[in-house]
Amino acid sequence: MSAPLSYTHGTSTTPLLGDTIGANLDRAVAAWPDREALVDVVSGRRWTYTEFGAAVDELARGLLAKGIGTGDRVGIWAVNCPEWVLTQYATARIGAIMVNINPAYRSHELAYVLRQSGVTLLVSSLAHKGTDHRALVDEVRGACPGLRETVYIGDPSWDALTEAAAEVPAERADAVAAGLSCDDPVNIQYTSGTTGFPKGATLSHHNILNNGYWVGRTIGYTEQDRVCLPVPFYHCFGMVMGNLAATSHGACVVIPAPSFDPAATLAAVQQERCTSLYGVPTMFIAELNLPDFASYDLSSLRTGIMAGSPCPVEVMKRVVAEMHMEQVSICYGMTETSPVSLQTRRDDDLEHRTGTVGRVLPHIEVKIVDPATGVTVQRGTSGELCTRGYSVMLGYWDEPERTAEAVDRGRWMHTGDLAVMRDDGYVEIVGRIKDMIIRGGENIYPREIEEFLHAHPKIADVQVVGVPHERYGEEVLACVVPRDAADPLTLAELKAYCDGRLAHYKVPSRLELLDSFPMTVSGKVRKIELRERYGTG
């Protein structure tokens, strides 16, 4: 009898939600009217579920007054703030499609996204990290003829938008909401492509509401939870795993700062008695490395989510022991799958939380296939991870050819990640198909070397990439953020540390010391940029 195949699916006696996002929020307001729904630490503003529901309804009617209808695209180009969250739920309420735009985008990227998605109304921050958003919008307006109006948060134009709600009776908004299907598109998120322009993953109410609900259910959210979100709302991590996971369970969203600040994050956890904290591993590393880390009272924490990239064992040990996050969960996903397919469970041991990205969530299928043939491989064998189910996107906005390249005829989403399924169904990510290093015919997975090097006392963070080599085809480069800039690691020290503990072909032959790594919007390190930067060295 042959070994079991790398296929699994999540079963559950709990059905998927059939709601739209607006209807689900209505249920939350009815169930938990007086509990807090949203807290903005910086401004001190707070909303109970009743108040939040009323603010969402007001903004939805304001959008209707501005001529926004079902299927129209509304762009959101802003840092984390309450208005971002209100826009998310207000657009969903009336069936408009919210288009997430990275606040770091410049004119070239902004113009492309506005034009490609057909945004008619843009909600924007006034500025981001010294960049004047108004000036950039004025610059691209001529290239975006479909853009009718821009509303700026913290500006009279925002007040005018909410005041316009008076022109639209509640009955009209209710009638629009009643005509919506949970399968309607509600969100476009642009994935940071490594080549060419980004693609607009188009997601439905059904996609993201259910994914948020199941992520929250898996870590045991109730109306007692308070979720600190230093991760960006413009990515699924913030708006789905954060906002929708919270509101579908009556929990409270806490915004610690407009963008990630480790001290502000821990201060918010302490002040608001948060029970859950999110972040990519580099965020947790930054928090743990604060000189006054021990002075923060984090005893209210019990859980949280770490995602975006693998968590080093030493970091996970500290998060559990020193941040009180005994039930912290690892999630794996991608924007195109709403995003989470695999997640560790609350009672998983340290090895499963650091060696794997969990097991399949309910109502989702996962398989691992031979990248060349598409045939499902046996468990314990490396191949491409594919996922199928309610979470797979509707497609890339207005790009059927690129959709067909990613989603096959069986509706399997091909992730591009190399993975191994264990006998217990837990999945290890061993690298990107594009990231695998081939040195002199040997296949090298950077993740293995990174895990090993993380235990070095002089290394705060490390990324391993392959760069061209005349003799071997590729050689191994370690890009290191030193723990102490005054006492940096040398290549000789690195090689001595690896000697006899790693196969010779895996030992880095080059070392680069960095202050930080280039990141994608979703918190993943841009390895392609490291390869391009140092590939000619």
Side-chain angles (χ1 to χ4, degrees), residues 456-492:
H456 193 290
K458 285 191 172 184
I459 293 177
D461 206 355
V462 57
Q463 295 291 323
V464 169
V465 296
V467 291
H469 187 272
E470 204 171 287
R471 180 177 171 195
Y472 295 112
E474 285 188 295
E475 64 177 331
V476 179
L477 163 67
C479 298
V480 168
V481 176
R483 197 169 288 282
D484 181 359
D487 183 23
L489 183 71
T490 66
L491 182 58

Side-chain angles (χ1 to χ4, degrees), residues 250-278:
C252 177
V253 168
V254 176
I255 306 173
S259 53
F260 176 62
D261 177 316
T265 300
L266 298 188
V269 169
Q270 176 176 287
Q271 175 188 312
E272 295 298 326
R273 306 301 293 157
C274 293
T275 58
S276 177
L277 173 62
Y278 287 18

Side-chain angles (χ1 to χ4, degrees), residues 331-351:
C331 289
Y332 165 85
M334 59 193 306
T335 305
E336 291 90 336
T337 56
S338 301
V340 179
S341 303
L342 300 154
Q343 186 173 351
T344 59
R345 301 323 199 244
R346 285 185 279 170
D347 55 354
D348 281 342
D349 59 26
L350 179 72
E351 194 283 325

